[in-house]
Amino acid sequence: VRLAGKIKLGYYPTPPTVSAAIARSLVPAAPGLVRVIDPCCGDGTALCDTTGALDPVERYGIELHRGRAEAAARALTRVIHADIRSVRVANGAFGLVFLNPPYDYDTKAEPDEATRRLELVFLQAALRYLQPNGILVFVLPDRRLDRRLAPVLAQHLRDLQVFRFPGEEYDRFAQVVLFGIRKDLPCRDEGAAQILRAVGHGLSIPADLPAALDPPYRVPVVPAVHPLLFQRLAVDPQDLVGEIEQNGAYPMLLRLLTPSAGAEGFRPLMPLRRGHLALVLASGHLNNELVCDPRTGHPVLIKGRTEKASTRSEETHADGSRTITERDTLKIVITALDLRTGTLQTVQ
Ligand SMILES: C[S@@+](CC[C@H](N)C(=O)[O-])C[C@H]1O[C@@H](n2cnc3c(N)ncnc32)[C@H](O)[C@@H]1O
């Protein structure tokens, strides 16, 4: 079961009821473009649904799983198929980060050290991406609000609120949604950290997420960040193959190196003489051509090739010395297969 969880890379999509309630709790802070990002976007559905009330909006996504990244690329404005740890994304360029990082919910065991570290990587990246007054919407299991995450959240975010997933949705994975606004300057807030930790320890039970927050969180419009940095650190080999096939020198070289492909529809201006014909056949231009044998009326498949042959001659001189001469000659060989009788004829 644990392995299955790892194979799906912690893919537990945000339930639609939760996405809809989040969407009703976000408004643009002013008229203008809003830029949002999901650093582990799955197929992009959650980011589209949670930001459905923001318009105009540009949606960015990062996703490690190839199939989901491809689906997200069709739904979002720009998507990188990569590990969050190998991307370069502009700091302070996004008005909203929607974060629902991968957890192994299939096991009751506490997350291992690697999962905890990854969770912190996601949170730190999310905080970096946010512009001042930008909104973080963070989906996580309530017990993860521990002494590691709580101080980081309290240091960077103000106006924090935590809600349980509504109704039965909470029973499945004990998840909560945290909202916060990025402070202009980070500063420690032990009081807020303690409140979050109390939720993590089960000492404080948050309210269920309402259908809409009142007042809603106000998502700031885009700051002038030009050009927006949003790229992979390493080249994806599969993307590279696609790029080479589309834009590289490879297709051109392939055409040059396989003249027969370019010689389709080859039509001489004048009738060929026997010698010309033999050369054309030998060069492979008429390989697999189906012709009709005028003598028998049978369809015949022909193939030509050139073979190198060596001739050797020896000459003995008057003084007893010998000269050995080897000559290479090119021989034209044409093979014809009679498709009625199956007989092969070779002409040299
Ligand atoms: C819990 S799902 C969230 C999907 C979507 N954001 C949502 O809320 O429905 C986590 C996603 O993170 C992806 N993921 C796992 N490890 C990742 C990594 N290192 N970098 C980027 N994405 C990763 C998984 O493939 C999965 O799609």
Side-chain angles (χ1 to χ4, degrees), residues 199-210:
V199 173
H201 291 142
L203 302 173
S204 160
I205 309 293
D208 277 10
L209 180 67

Side-chain angles (χ1 to χ4, degrees), residues 8-14 38-42 46 62-65 68 82-85 98 100-103 118 122:
K8 55 194 262 185
L9 297 171
Y11 182 53
Y12 294 90
T14 306
D38 182 341
C40 45
C41 64
I62 301 162
E63 171 57 49
L64 182 57
H65 183 277
R68 291 196 279 276
D83 188 308
I84 180 76
R85 289 161 290 199
F98 175 76
N100 176 6
Y103 290 101
L118 186 61
F122 272 110

Side-chain angles (χ1 to χ4, degrees), residues 138-333:
F138 189 7
V139 171
L140 73 167
D142 52 11
R143 64 175 195 284
R144 300 302 311 124
L145 286 169
D146 61 7
R147 63 189 164 75
R148 242 201 257 209
L149 285 200
V152 180
L153 290 163
Q155 187 180 1
H156 289 89
L157 302 168
R158 60 182 170 83
D159 296 300
L160 282 160
Q161 295 192 78
V162 183
F163 300 94
R164 276 184 164 195
F165 272 21
E168 285 176 7
E169 298 290 3
Y170 177 81
D171 302 337
R172 287 174 63 212
F173 299 124
Q175 282 162 298
V176 292
V177 188
L178 174 145
F179 293 82
I181 304 176
R182 204 197 109 176
K183 296 176 185 173
D184 283 340
L185 283 176
C187 60
R188 291 165 64 113
D189 184 341
E190 187 42 39
Q194 213 171 346
I195 294 172
L196 295 179
R197 275 200 306 270
V199 173
H201 291 142
L203 302 173
S204 160
I205 309 293
D208 277 10
L209 180 67
L213 289 185
D214 187 18
Y217 280 83
R218 293 157 52 80
V219 183
V221 295
V222 289
V225 180
H226 280 298
L228 183 75
L229 180 66
F230 188 71
Q231 56 186 221
R232 299 173 58 102
L233 281 179
V235 177
D236 176 357
Q238 208 157 323
D239 291 350
L240 186 64
V241 169
E243 184 70 18
I244 289 172
E245 277 174 0
Q246 267 210 325
N247 304 315
Y250 176 69
M252 192 183 76
L253 273 178
L254 200 65
R255 271 199 306 280
L256 287 175
L257 294 174
T258 50
S260 56
E264 282 154 13
F266 170 81
R267 282 212 182 283
L269 288 175
M270 304 276 287
L272 297 180
R273 291 169 188 250
R274 287 170 75 92
H276 293 139
L277 194 58
L279 279 175
V280 170
L281 279 166
S283 66
H285 276 301
L286 297 180
N287 274 358
N288 302 329
E289 195 78 13
L290 201 56
V291 293
C292 182
D293 183 337
R295 287 170 302 132
T296 59
H298 292 179
V300 175
L301 202 60
I302 49 174
K303 183 168 173 60
R305 65 180 191 277
T306 36
E307 280 180 4
K308 201 167 79 170
S310 292
T311 54
R312 186 185 156 101
S313 60
E314 262 187 52
E315 196 181 340
T316 309
H317 302 287
D319 60 0
S321 63
R322 284 189 308 156
T323 305
I324 300 173
T325 312
E326 278 194 6
R327 270 203 192 85
D328 282 348
T329 50
L330 288 178
K331 210 168 55 173
I332 295 171
V333 183

